[in-house]
């Protein structure tokens, strides 16, 4: 009997060791990945980490990682295709929406550290250059190029493939050289016709320059980031934190505000605060975030920007940079509003788990664009802390 018991115990020990080895591989689920630990234990460990890391005021029920993974899985299943050569594409979308959806894959990596999302980033990059080439200079929209520049720079931070950094450096330099002018005191032109200087190029370009400073250590990029940001502050940002659309040479300043311009201005200020430690940058980001939440949406659910080809995905850009302000800038006062929007969008998903950009309305079982459905996926991811989150710190983004 004792021999039998010992045999059983040895067998159980062997099985247990195999389970531990499997768990060590990743522990990531979703996107066809297998869970390395039991679902219950994963949730317990995540809860323990959240309890240790989050400030007291945000230790409460949040959008969980499982929800974000499920939303990502459903989005990928609906809109994403991979060819035999490993190149991935978003069905029906072209240049800049594909760059922004690639950023959602980067968001997923930052929130989970799961290799499957690094693979997704690479597939999306390969699909992008397959369709648009490795030289994007023929695109007359400077902002289009800068969106992909940001995606590549962030991809390099996630997975240090030289091609990502090379593309980011090459195309930021291209845009800056052709778009910066001293007309109106500085700033970047939106398009190559040089008629308007818009927030949609200057905010993202300041972010791109900060990222390039981080990944190259070259001070010239920080100088450019500051110059671009200061010009935008002086010309396209109100005292109340409103980020205006454009400065038109013929018609003056267009004061229309949108979520993506608010978002990139928030992100640029956050990066400059982290790099320099100067409080004015963080103050500007907070003021812009306050304006977005309290004036544009009265702390309610964002249920606008659903028309045309571009607007429906804007809110996903706001989500990214506002989420970074929460977790990297320590501004946790926005998390409750972010979660309200994420929870509402998720409750209103359709039978396929897809969420259209009118988050307060039920998503129907009909055709929607991938771009317009990507914003909610970004919102869910960016309610979550980064996988290595240990609280905010000034200067943490220094190279």
């Amino acid at each position: 009997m004792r021999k039998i018991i010992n045999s059983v115990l040895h067998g159980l020990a062997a099985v247990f060791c195999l389970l531990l080895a499997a768990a060590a591989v990743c522990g990531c689920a979703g996107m066809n990945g297998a869970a390395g630990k039991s679902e219950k234990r994963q949730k317990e460990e995540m809860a323990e980490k959240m309890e240790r890391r989050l400030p007291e005021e945000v230790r409460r029920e949040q959008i969980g990682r499982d929800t974000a993974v499920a939303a990502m899985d459903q989005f990928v299943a609906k809109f994403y295709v991979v060819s035999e050569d490993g190149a991935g594409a978003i069905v029906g979308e072209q240049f800049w929406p594909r760059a922004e959806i690639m950023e959602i894959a980067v968001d997923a990596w930052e929130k989970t550290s799961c290799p499957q999302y690094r693979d997704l980033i690479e597939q999306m990059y390969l699909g992008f250059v397959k369709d648009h080439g490795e030289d994007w200079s023929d695109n007359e929209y400077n902002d289009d190029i800068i969106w992909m520049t940001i995606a590549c720079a962030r991809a390099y931070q996630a997975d240090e493939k030289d091609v990502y950094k090379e593309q980011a450096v090459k195309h930021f330099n291209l845009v800056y050289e052709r778009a910066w002018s001293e007309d109106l005191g500085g700033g970047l032109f939106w398009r190559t016709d040089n008629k308007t200087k818009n927030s949609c190029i200057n905010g993202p370009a300041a972010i791109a320059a900060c990222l390039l400073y981080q990944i190259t250590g070259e001070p010239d990029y920080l100088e450019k980031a500051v110059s671009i940001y200061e010009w935008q502050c002086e010309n396209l940002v109100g005292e109340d934190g409103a980020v205006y659309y454009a400065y038109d040479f013929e018609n003056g300043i267009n004061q229309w505000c949108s979520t993506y311009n608010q978002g990139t201005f928030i992100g640029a200020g956050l990066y400059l605060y982290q790099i320099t430690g100067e409080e004015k940058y963080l103050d500007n980001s907070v003021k812009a975030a306050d304006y977005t939440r309290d004036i544009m949406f009265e702390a309610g659910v964002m249920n606008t920007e659903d028309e045309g080809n571009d607007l429906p995905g804007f809110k996903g850009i706001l989500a990214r940079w506002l989420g970074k302000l929460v977790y990297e800038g320590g501004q946790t006062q926005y998390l409750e509003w972010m979660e309200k929007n994420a929870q509402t969008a998720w409750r209103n998903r359709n039978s396929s788990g897809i969420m259209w950009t009118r988050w307060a309305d039920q998503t129907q079982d009909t055709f929607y664009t991938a771009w317009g459905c990507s914003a909610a996926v970004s919102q869910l991811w960016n309610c979550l802390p980064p996988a290595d989150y240990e609280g905010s710190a000034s200067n943490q983004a220094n190279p």
Side-chain angles (χ1 to χ4, degrees):
M1 177 62 71
R2 186 174 299 169
K3 290 183 178 179
I4 293 174
I5 292 173
N6 286 337
S7 178
V8 170
L9 289 175
H10 283 302
L12 289 174
V15 171
F16 182 68
C17 288
L18 287 172
L19 289 173
L20 285 178
V25 172
C26 175
C28 302
M31 298 239 349
N32 298 321
K37 300 176 183 177
S38 72
E39 183 178 355
K40 179 180 179 181
R41 185 55 191 154
Q42 280 186 324
K43 290 180 179 178
E44 288 173 349
E45 289 184 358
M46 179 61 69
E48 289 168 3
K49 289 179 182 178
M50 291 290 290
E51 186 67 20
R52 289 196 304 270
R53 294 173 174 175
L54 288 177
E56 183 65 34
E57 63 268 27
V58 296
R59 290 180 184 172
R60 50 184 161 73
E61 183 179 357
Q62 297 184 310
I63 288 291
R65 193 182 81 162
D66 289 350
T67 305
V69 169
M72 187 76 161
D73 285 351
Q74 296 295 340
F75 179 86
V76 167
K78 181 73 174 178
F79 297 112
Y80 185 65
V81 294
V82 183
S83 59
E84 291 183 357
D85 60 3
I90 301 295
V91 175
E93 300 297 349
Q94 292 302 317
F95 204 104
W96 88 275
R98 285 175 64 173
E100 285 308 292
I101 294 171
M102 179 174 157
E103 280 207 73
I104 297 176
V106 180
D107 295 338
W109 160 254
E110 289 181 351
K111 305 301 183 180
T112 66
S113 296
C114 288
Q116 65 213 43
Y117 295 122
R118 270 197 317 211
D119 294 343
L120 183 61
I121 294 166
E122 183 177 21
Q123 289 175 359
M124 288 186 171
Y125 173 78
L126 292 174
F128 187 92
V129 297
K130 180 179 180 179
D131 293 340
H132 298 288
E134 295 183 344
D135 182 349
W136 312 323
S137 59
D138 60 346
N139 189 328
E140 66 177 326
Y141 289 89
N142 292 314
D143 62 322
D144 280 12
I145 299 173
I146 289 295
W147 294 117
M148 191 58 184
T149 297
I150 293 172
C152 287
R154 293 185 66 216
Y156 180 78
Q157 291 179 324
D159 187 9
E160 295 183 350
K161 294 183 184 299
D162 288 341
V163 67
Y164 298 148
K165 181 166 71 172
E166 291 165 1
Q167 288 287 61
V169 167
K170 171 184 175 180
H171 287 97
F172 177 86
N173 292 344
L174 165 76
V175 168
Y176 188 86
E177 288 169 9
R178 79 184 193 184
W180 178 269
S181 82
E182 294 302 324
D183 300 292
L184 303 177
L188 299 168
F189 284 109
W190 174 39
R191 304 193 323 182
T192 54
D193 61 6
N194 294 352
K195 292 182 178 180
T196 66
K197 295 189 173 184
N198 297 35
S199 282
C200 70
I201 173 60
N202 285 281
I207 288 174
C210 287
L211 286 165
L212 289 174
Y213 173 68
Q214 291 174 0
I215 65 179
T216 69
E218 295 180 17
D220 181 61
Y221 288 117
L222 178 57
E223 293 171 10
K224 287 182 169 64
V226 170
S227 296
I228 296 166
Y229 180 88
E230 294 295 349
W231 182 86
Q232 187 182 14
C233 280
E234 293 172 7
N235 293 276
L236 290 174
V237 180
E239 290 293 327
D240 55 0
V243 181
Y244 304 142
Y245 176 65
Y247 201 143
D248 187 302
F249 274 40
E250 294 183 2
N251 301 312
I253 296 176
N254 181 332
Q255 294 190 352
W256 176 65
C257 294
S258 62
T259 55
Y260 84 145
N261 285 334
Q262 296 291 135
T264 55
F265 183 74
I266 290 167
L270 173 64
Y271 275 157
L272 287 170
Y273 166 67
Q274 291 175 314
I275 293 167
T276 68
E278 293 187 38
E279 293 284 342
K280 67 178 183 179
Y281 295 121
L282 182 62
D283 291 343
N284 287 344
S285 292
V286 168
K287 188 179 293 185
D290 284 346
Y291 183 88
T292 309
R293 180 190 62 185
D294 300 334
I295 305 302
M296 291 176 66
F297 295 101
E298 298 179 343
V301 175
M302 293 181 281
N303 208 43
T304 59
E305 299 181 331
D306 59 315
E307 298 178 351
N309 295 323
D310 289 335
L311 270 67
F314 279 12
K315 293 188 286 292
I317 297 171
L318 170 66
R320 177 170 305 113
W321 302 109
L322 188 58
K324 286 184 177 294
L325 184 65
V326 167
Y327 291 110
E328 298 179 27
Q331 303 302 308
T332 56
Q333 65 268 31
Y334 304 111
L335 187 56
E336 182 177 1
W337 182 57
M338 290 187 69
E339 289 178 339
K340 176 195 293 186
N341 277 271
Q343 290 162 354
T344 302
W346 183 243
R347 282 197 301 269
N348 285 324
R349 66 191 183 279
N350 67 12
S351 62
S352 299
I354 299 300
M355 299 164 283
W356 175 239
T357 196
R358 290 189 62 87
W359 296 343
D361 298 340
Q362 179 67 47
T363 299
Q364 303 301 310
D365 291 320
T366 187
F367 171 78
Y368 297 102
T369 64
W371 176 229
C373 296
S374 71
V377 181
S378 174
Q379 185 76 19
L380 265 64
W381 278 124
N382 285 292
C383 284
L384 301 176
D388 60 352
Y389 180 70
E390 295 294 347
S392 63
S394 176
N395 301 315
Q396 71 182 62
N398 278 320

